[in-house]
Amino acid sequence: MKKLKNYLPMHFTMFLVFGICLQYYTQFWQFGFKKIFYPILFLLLCFLFKSKIFTTIITAITFFFIGVFSVFIANDVNYDNYYKKYLQESSKVVIVVKKVLKPGFYYDKYEVELIQVNQTKTRGKVLLNIQKDSLFNSLKVDEILHVKAEFKELIPPLNPHQFNYKSYLAKQGVHQQIFIDNYQYFKSKRQHFSLIGLSAKFRDFVQASLRKYQFEKDELAVINALLLGQRQDISKELIADYSRAGAIHILAVSGLHVGVILLILTIIFQPLEKLKNGKYLKITLIVLLLWMFAFIAGLSASVVRAVTMFTFLAVGLTFKKKNIVFFSLVSSLFLLLIVKPMFLFDVGFQLSYLAVFGIIWVQPKLYNLWNPKIIIINKLWQLFTVSIAAQVGILPLSIYYFEQIPSLFLASNLVIIPFLMYILIGGILLITLAILNILPQFFADIYGEVISWMNSFVSWISHQEAFLFKEISISFLTMLVWYVFIFFGVDFLLQKSQKKLLYVLSAILLIQAVTFFEKKQKLSSEAFIVFHKSRFSIIGKRSGKELLLQHDLDSLKFKNDNNIKSYRVSEAISKIKTTNFNNFIKFNKHNILIIDSLGIYKLINLEKPIVVLQYTPKINVERLIKTIKPKQIIADGSNYKSYINRWEIICEKKNIPFHYTGKNGAFILTK
């Protein structure tokens, strides 16, 4: 660890990360590309000074600005030919398919790049939604389409603590979307060319070869995920099973798979080291084959990250450099963030690097606690310590994102991972024989049965509900202080000293302080909420850890409603009561009038209330505004859209703020 602290790329990476974060969240650099030259020139001139301290400071500033500029350069919005600058009401656009996404219930989804608006060459990505139609084939990567459609903004989450798909796509450079039918575009005869498109064609060929054999649907879906990096065909139920069992990483081609392949290749090419310059030949072949695997797996972000990291690792291991695992991890992280700064905000990227960091930092110490003599037990002990070390690295982050602890991850990993090498070898052989059209059916049957057993085992593990700790929510600040504790705690266990013990105790006090502060804050929190749910009405009043709800859901829908569940878990609500507000709520200093389908709202001495409209009341909104002079009008998802549009126009004319939950999200009023 001491050597890692003195490793220069480690320090450079920290300043790089700081620059990336500051630019992404503040967008403070808005001076254009030409003016980037001046700070770069200034920083280069500063290196002419010989002062060590001054040079160190300038180096830190340099890498900070590298992070800033990398985010600025990666953002298509900052370019003069960004497509939105040329869009008009009747613009005709030319798009090229860059990525096939998992389809929705009604639409096939694609990430596409706009290469032309009318006659202007442009850049920028959008989300393309094409209505599903069994008569039309799905689009392929690199296909060029001519489209005339309305561009719409991405919809933010409509209820608190929901997954923010808009923010997720924004980090991919996607800020708008298009909805079209199959007859609203035509394909260009010319074809775009890219490595990703070539990779997609190869995968399509492989998948077509595999479909000739009698695989079950789930078997083929898992084979595609394991070997080709394609998870679009995996059912939601199977994804949920792997997630609850703590084995979701098995289905994502990433560090685990690339690490296993590197191990296989290292064993295969080990004899080459006996030749003259054999080391160079060995590492060349290994790196080449690793990137061939990345190509086959679609050059997705997770695969590119993993192959980059293991390329550094393979080179270091070949030439037996000291501390190569740590240094490879940091160097690959540094390189990736310079080239693709938005990787930093990718959950998979964060989990991958933290897991590897936990393994290489914690696992050796755990492994040395016991040295079993029996080889099988020793290997199981090694796997056990690797799994524990990986969880040490990712546990706070995984709780923050997924709000659960799959405590049976040890069981699933100890059973699956020892066989993963053989599953991957068998899969590669399966694909090779299928491509050559010489795959024996009995081999396909055996391999399919193995995948089926793995799915069944994971499903059984995932249904052991007693060992799955769900609905655990922590804040971003709590996650950070837990990482502070883990860092100092592990550092103390590795090298005990009074000073390091003091750091551990200070971290414990910090956790207690943050926990106490957040608990006190939640106990004193009060809120009035109009949730959004299409065709239903859910209105809540929160007081501390209690939530009163007026709703029209049946018991089953109420129990399974994700809007209520997300709010309850994230806000640490311990008690929910169903109530009837009788059309009126007094919240803080606000009078809140609820008008339902009966349209009754005559109340005496009601001064400037907030009005909530539900169940499409047959009222004259102009008369309502004149009679009670509301300070704001809110319409929830239980109202007809035609009425909502009419109310909004009237409110705009009367200068009354109007809030529709289906457009503006849940209405939340706090104390």
Side-chain angles (χ1 to χ4, degrees):
M1 181 56 67
K2 187 175 180 181
K3 289 182 179 179
L4 183 63
K5 290 176 183 176
N6 296 326
Y7 186 49
L8 285 178
M10 180 72 176
H11 301 278
F12 298 159
T13 303
M14 290 173 63
F15 286 102
L16 183 75
V17 167
F18 180 50
I20 290 171
C21 291
L22 190 65
Q23 175 63 17
Y24 176 74
Y25 288 110
T26 67
Q27 297 293 319
F28 84 95
W29 185 270
Q30 290 292 333
F31 306 108
F33 288 95
K34 293 179 181 178
K35 293 186 178 180
I36 289 176
F37 172 76
Y38 297 108
I40 292 174
L41 180 62
F42 173 75
L43 291 169
L44 289 174
L45 290 174
C46 288
F47 281 107
L48 297 176
F49 293 91
K50 299 299 181 182
S51 171
K52 186 176 180 180
I53 296 175
F54 187 74
T55 303
T56 302
I57 294 171
I58 293 300
T59 302
I61 295 172
T62 299
F63 280 94
F64 164 77
F65 274 106
I66 288 174
V68 171
F69 297 150
S70 65
V71 175
F72 184 82
I73 291 167
N75 191 352
D76 289 331
V77 176
N78 297 321
Y79 289 79
D80 291 335
N81 62 341
Y82 183 54
Y83 77 90
K84 283 185 74 174
K85 297 175 182 178
Y86 300 94
L87 277 182
Q88 297 172 354
E89 190 173 339
S90 58
S91 294
K92 295 179 181 179
V93 300
V94 181
I95 60 178
V96 57
V97 179
K98 305 300 289 185
K99 190 185 297 183
V100 180
L101 305 176
K102 191 175 181 68
F105 192 74
Y106 298 106
Y107 294 93
D108 290 320
K109 296 177 179 288
Y110 307 90
E111 182 184 296
V112 300
E113 183 169 5
L114 273 81
I115 59 175
Q116 187 175 317
V117 175
N118 295 326
Q119 302 302 317
T120 306
K121 301 294 182 183
T122 59
R123 66 188 298 155
K125 293 183 285 188
V126 298
L127 178 66
L128 174 64
N129 301 273
I130 301 180
Q131 192 159 22
K132 285 187 172 181
D133 191 330
S134 58
L135 299 177
F136 288 84
N137 294 324
S138 298
L139 299 178
K140 305 296 183 184
V141 175
D142 277 351
E143 284 190 316
I144 297 175
L145 312 177
H146 293 259
V147 178
K148 184 179 178 182
E150 181 184 355
F151 286 72
K152 296 183 178 180
E153 296 300 317
L154 294 164
I155 300 172
L158 297 178
N159 287 295
H161 305 295
Q162 284 186 326
F163 174 65
N164 194 334
Y165 190 50
K166 179 180 179 179
S167 175
Y168 169 78
L169 287 178
K171 290 167 186 172
Q172 319 299 316
V174 178
H175 302 284
Q176 287 188 309
Q177 60 183 334
I178 305 171
F179 290 88
I180 59 174
D181 291 317
N182 280 286
Y183 60 84
Q184 291 181 299
Y185 70 86
F186 70 89
K187 296 180 183 179
S188 174
K189 292 180 180 179
R190 64 190 179 100
Q191 191 79 9
H192 186 77
F193 174 80
S194 69
L195 278 177
I196 293 176
L198 196 60
S199 169
K201 288 179 181 177
F202 179 77
R203 285 197 313 277
D204 290 341
F205 174 66
V206 173
Q207 288 172 338
S209 300
L210 291 174
R211 288 192 198 101
K212 297 175 184 177
Y213 301 90
Q214 299 171 4
F215 291 109
E216 297 291 333
K217 184 179 179 181
D218 280 345
E219 292 172 1
L220 188 58
V222 171
I223 291 171
N224 284 330
L226 275 172
L227 302 165
L228 302 176
Q230 300 301 295
R231 293 170 55 176
Q232 291 95 329
D233 297 328
I234 302 179
S235 65
K236 289 182 178 179
E237 294 76 15
L238 195 58
I239 287 273
D241 285 345
Y242 274 85
S243 180
R244 287 194 297 263
I248 192 66
H249 53 284
I250 301 295
L251 297 181
V253 177
S254 56
L256 176 62
H257 302 71
V258 178
V260 170
I261 289 172
L262 174 60
L263 178 62
I264 296 169
L265 294 175
T266 302
I267 294 170
I268 292 172
F269 294 123
Q270 189 67 36
L272 290 178
E273 292 196 3
K274 297 177 181 179
L275 302 175
K276 184 181 179 181
N277 298 322
K279 284 185 178 181
Y280 296 100
L281 179 60
K282 174 188 170 185
I283 190 59
T284 301
L285 288 172
I286 287 176
V287 170
L288 181 63
L289 289 171
L290 283 178
W291 282 101
M292 282 181 63
F293 175 73
F295 173 80
I296 292 169
L299 293 170
S300 65
S302 61
V303 176
V304 170
R305 290 195 300 260
V307 172
T308 301
M309 182 169 64
F310 281 97
T311 296
F312 276 85
L313 182 61
V315 172
L317 290 174
T318 299
F319 297 103
K320 296 180 172 60
K321 298 293 183 182
K322 292 182 179 179
N323 301 298
I324 187 57
V325 180
F326 265 124
F327 296 162
S328 298
L329 182 69
V330 175
S331 299
S332 63
L333 175 65
F334 177 69
L335 177 64
L336 283 170
L337 289 180
I338 288 178
V339 178
K340 292 284 187 180
M342 301 312 291
F343 276 175
L344 182 64
F345 307 102
D346 187 277
V347 178
F349 179 86
Q350 297 167 10
L351 291 172
S352 177
Y353 271 92
L354 284 172
V356 176
F357 186 80
I359 290 169
I360 62 181
W361 188 32
V362 178
Q363 192 270 342
K365 190 70 175 179
L366 287 176
Y367 180 72
N368 291 333
L369 293 176
W370 183 37
N371 188 23
K373 304 299 181 184
I374 302 172
I375 294 176
I376 295 177
I377 296 176
N378 188 285
K379 291 296 182 183
L380 288 174
W381 171 242
Q382 191 174 14
L383 278 173
F384 176 84
T385 56
V386 165
S387 296
I388 292 294
Q391 288 299 315
V392 169
I394 68 171
L395 188 59
L397 191 68
S398 60
I399 294 174
Y400 174 71
Y401 282 123
F402 307 118
E403 299 182 338
Q404 66 179 25
I405 304 175
S407 57
L408 282 170
F409 70 90
L410 280 174
S412 55
N413 287 340
L414 287 175
V415 172
I416 295 173
I417 291 179
F419 298 101
L420 186 61
M421 177 187 292
Y422 306 104
I423 291 172
L424 288 176
I425 292 172
I428 292 168
L429 181 60
L430 179 89
I431 287 175
T432 304
L433 295 176
I435 291 172
L436 298 174
N437 205 25
I438 56 173
L439 174 63
Q441 184 61 50
F442 78 88
F443 184 77
D445 292 340
I446 293 171
Y447 193 81
E449 194 64 30
V450 170
I451 297 297
S452 182
W453 287 343
M454 183 173 74
N455 290 343
S456 299
F457 173 74
V458 168
S459 179
W460 178 78
I461 287 285
S462 71
H463 286 86
Q464 308 308 306
E465 296 286 344
F467 298 95
L468 179 63
F469 302 102
K470 297 185 290 186
E471 300 184 357
I472 304 170
S473 179
I474 61 173
S475 68
F476 182 76
L477 181 59
T478 301
M479 180 195 71
L480 290 181
V481 296
W482 269 105
Y483 271 117
V484 170
F485 169 72
I486 289 172
F487 179 82
F488 287 128
V490 173
D491 201 31
F492 171 72
L493 292 174
L494 293 175
Q495 191 175 359
K496 297 179 179 66
S497 69
Q498 289 184 345
K499 185 179 179 181
K500 291 184 177 181
L501 178 60
L502 183 62
Y503 289 153
V504 174
L505 295 175
S506 299
I508 293 172
L509 287 174
L510 185 61
I511 290 173
Q512 291 177 328
V514 170
T515 303
F516 175 77
F517 170 75
E518 290 185 346
K519 187 175 181 180
K520 185 179 179 182
Q521 194 176 42
K522 286 177 179 177
L523 283 171
S524 61
S525 293
E526 293 186 14
F528 168 76
I529 311 145
V530 180
F531 293 92
H532 176 75
K533 189 169 182 66
S534 182
R535 301 192 302 277
F536 294 94
S537 179
I538 307 173
I539 299 173
K541 182 181 179 183
R542 176 194 176 172
S543 180
K545 291 195 170 187
E546 184 178 78
L547 179 64
L548 299 176
L549 284 178
Q550 175 181 296
H551 64 88
D552 58 345
L553 304 172
D554 60 41
S555 57
L556 184 61
K557 284 182 179 177
F558 181 71
K559 181 181 178 182
N560 297 325
D561 189 79
N562 288 325
N563 303 321
I564 299 171
K565 179 183 174 182
S566 297
Y567 186 82
R568 173 176 59 80
V569 174
S570 299
E571 294 291 335
I573 301 295
S574 58
K575 186 185 295 184
I576 294 180
K577 289 183 178 179
T578 299
T579 189
N580 187 342
F581 292 121
N582 295 315
N583 299 100
F584 180 78
I585 300 172
K586 184 75 175 178
F587 178 79
N588 201 10
K589 295 180 181 179
H590 301 282
N591 294 316
I592 301 170
L593 178 62
I594 303 172
I595 302 178
D596 57 22
S597 58
L598 296 176
I600 299 172
Y601 59 87
K602 290 184 179 180
L603 293 175
I604 302 172
N605 298 325
L606 194 62
E607 296 183 1
K608 294 184 177 181
I610 295 172
V611 175
V612 180
L613 303 176
Q614 58 177 186
Y615 310 127
T616 317
K618 307 298 188 292
I619 59 171
N620 187 315
V621 173
E622 290 190 28
R623 188 183 303 155
L624 179 143
I625 293 171
K626 184 178 180 181
T627 305
I628 63 176
K629 298 178 175 60
K631 65 174 68 173
Q632 185 165 14
I633 293 179
I634 301 142
D636 67 10
S638 65
N639 298 283
Y640 292 141
K641 192 68 183 291
S642 58
Y643 279 72
I644 293 168
N645 293 335
R646 193 187 313 155
W647 296 336
E648 187 173 13
I649 292 169
I650 294 170
C651 287
E652 188 176 345
K653 289 180 180 177
K654 300 292 183 180
N655 292 320
I656 300 294
F658 183 81
H659 184 106
Y660 169 46
T661 58
K663 177 181 177 182
N664 309 110
F667 177 81
I668 303 175
L669 194 64
T670 56
K671 188 175 178 181

